[in-house]
């Protein structure tokens, strides 16, 4: 009964990890489980004691060079017994020899550094209630009307690895709403808003500049009628922080984006909203 048995989750079991994340106060999206399984269904692990769930983790491989770790949770009544380290090692083994990224909660950042993760920058979750804005401005289209190859190419400027399967699921899942801004026929900004356990999250929100980000953000809010929203912002993007603050949103949560090695040079100045702390 004291031996932890670790195995890969079935796709229908990923909802358990999402539920545990909700219990930790991470406020996942209502349809996250299905989207998360799209890129690497073998990247989700569960540890069991006597056939009962005791720990979960994910380490989703994006191609041959990059992986992202998330859902690192041990059942509260079983913490401090070494089960976390056991399932952690299984996830890391799944990712090797890839560079691994994660968004570390404050309480775990020292442990992540001991495991070879180095701080890149902080991400701050801003939240609040926003009134519905007026109708979207000219140039806004549904994100599903933009060719997926163009969206994927733009995503490659802000994420360390290609993730076409995940993007397709994220953009087309029922309940997720995407909008894009075209300038002179090219993609200048795009984003997705999705319903969560509490309110809605906007992510990703990618744009050439603050003006484009504001237009896309307004279109996303108009599509849902406003309400309580959350926006995860890289603290190093001053324009993104200023946008969140000018909307009247307040900091509610913080993580550290950390990596085990070098990643391609990314345009963090174009990230006005992180896709998800669980998968990057």
């Amino acid at each position: 009964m004291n031996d932890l048995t670790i195995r890969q989750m079935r796709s229908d079991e990923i909802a358990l990890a999402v539920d545990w994340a909700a219990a930790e106060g991470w406020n996942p999206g209502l349809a996250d489980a299905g989207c998360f399984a799209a890129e690497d269904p073998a990247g989700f692990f569960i540890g069991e004691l006597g056939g009962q769930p005791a720990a979960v983790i994910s380490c989703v491989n994006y191609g041959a060079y990059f992986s992202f770790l998330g859902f690192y949770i041990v059942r509260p009544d079983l913490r401090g017994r070494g089960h976390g380290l056991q399932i952690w090692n299984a996830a890391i083994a799944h990712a090797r020899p890839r560079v691994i990224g994660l968004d570390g909660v404050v309480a775990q950042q020292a442990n992540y550094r001991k495991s070879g993760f180095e701080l890149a920058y902080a991400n701050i979750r801003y939240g609040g209630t926003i009134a519905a804005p007026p109708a979207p401005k000219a140039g806004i289209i549904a994100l599903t009307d933009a060719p997926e190859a163009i969206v994927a190419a733009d995503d490659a400027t802000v994420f360390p690895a290609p993730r076409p399967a995940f993007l397709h699921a994220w953009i087309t899942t029922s309940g997720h709403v995407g909008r894009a801004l075209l300038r002179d026929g090219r993609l200048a900004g795009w984003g997705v808003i999705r319903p969560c356990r509490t309110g809605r999250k906007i992510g990703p929100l990618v744009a050439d500049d603050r003006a484009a980000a504001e237009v896309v953000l307004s279109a996303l809010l108009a599509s849902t009628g406003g309400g309580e929203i959350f926006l995860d912002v890289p603290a190093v993007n001053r324009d993104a922080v200023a946008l969140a603050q000018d909307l009247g949103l307040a900091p509610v949560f913080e993580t550290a984006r950390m990596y085990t090695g070098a990643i391609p040079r990314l345009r963090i100045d174009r990230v006005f909203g992180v896709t998800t702390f669980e998968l990057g």
Side-chain angles (χ1 to χ4, degrees):
M1 293 292 289
N2 293 321
D3 293 332
L4 190 71
T5 300
I6 300 171
R7 62 175 175 83
Q8 291 176 334
M9 285 185 172
R10 301 187 305 270
S11 294
D12 62 303
E13 292 178 312
I14 296 174
L16 173 67
V18 176
D19 287 342
W20 282 18
E24 294 291 322
W26 300 349
N27 194 27
L30 299 184
D32 281 2
C35 296
F36 289 171
E39 189 71 35
D40 178 16
F44 295 80
F45 299 85
I46 185 169
E48 296 174 318
L49 289 173
Q52 297 300 311
V56 295
I57 198 170
S58 65
C59 209
V60 170
N61 292 339
Y62 294 101
Y65 303 105
F66 184 68
S67 186
F68 200 89
L69 188 145
F71 289 115
Y72 182 34
I73 308 170
V74 177
R75 212 172 73 197
D77 61 308
L78 296 173
R79 292 173 184 173
R81 304 184 187 183
H83 302 317
L85 180 59
Q86 288 179 266
I87 200 167
W88 168 275
N89 288 338
I92 296 297
H94 175 72
R96 287 192 177 116
R98 298 167 180 83
V99 171
I100 306 171
L102 58 76
D103 275 306
V105 297
V106 173
Q108 290 292 333
Q109 287 169 20
N111 288 331
Y112 295 145
R113 284 193 292 271
K114 292 177 183 177
S115 296
F117 287 82
E118 297 293 337
L119 175 68
Y121 51 86
N123 283 317
I124 303 173
R125 174 165 295 164
Y126 286 86
T129 301
I130 296 181
K137 296 181 180 180
I140 286 289
I141 63 171
L143 186 55
T144 50
D145 290 340
E148 288 191 3
I150 292 177
V151 176
D154 197 75
D155 184 67
T157 69
V158 299
F159 192 75
R163 48 178 179 175
F166 170 76
L167 285 175
H168 174 79
W170 199 251
I171 292 168
T172 60
T173 288
S174 178
H176 291 207
V177 176
R179 294 290 182 265
L181 172 66
L182 300 180
R183 283 178 178 165
D184 300 323
R186 59 173 295 275
L187 191 64
W190 56 283
V192 175
I193 189 169
R194 74 193 197 280
C196 296
R197 302 296 175 95
T198 300
R200 292 180 172 86
K201 285 183 186 175
I202 294 173
L205 179 59
V206 180
D208 289 346
D209 48 50
R210 173 172 170 169
E214 286 188 83
V215 172
V216 175
L217 181 76
S218 180
L220 292 170
L221 293 172
S223 72
T224 59
E228 187 175 18
I229 68 160
F230 298 92
L231 183 65
D232 300 333
V233 174
V236 292
N237 185 342
R238 295 183 179 181
D239 284 343
V241 171
L243 174 58
Q245 293 173 340
D246 290 347
L247 287 169
L249 304 179
V252 296
F253 188 64
E254 182 175 334
T255 71
R257 177 59 62 90
M258 308 176 80
Y259 298 103
T260 58
I263 61 169
R265 190 174 184 86
L266 302 175
R267 292 287 307 277
I268 304 301
D269 60 299
R270 300 186 70 241
V271 180
F272 288 79
V274 178
T275 305
T276 163
F277 286 160
E278 289 76 31
L279 261 73

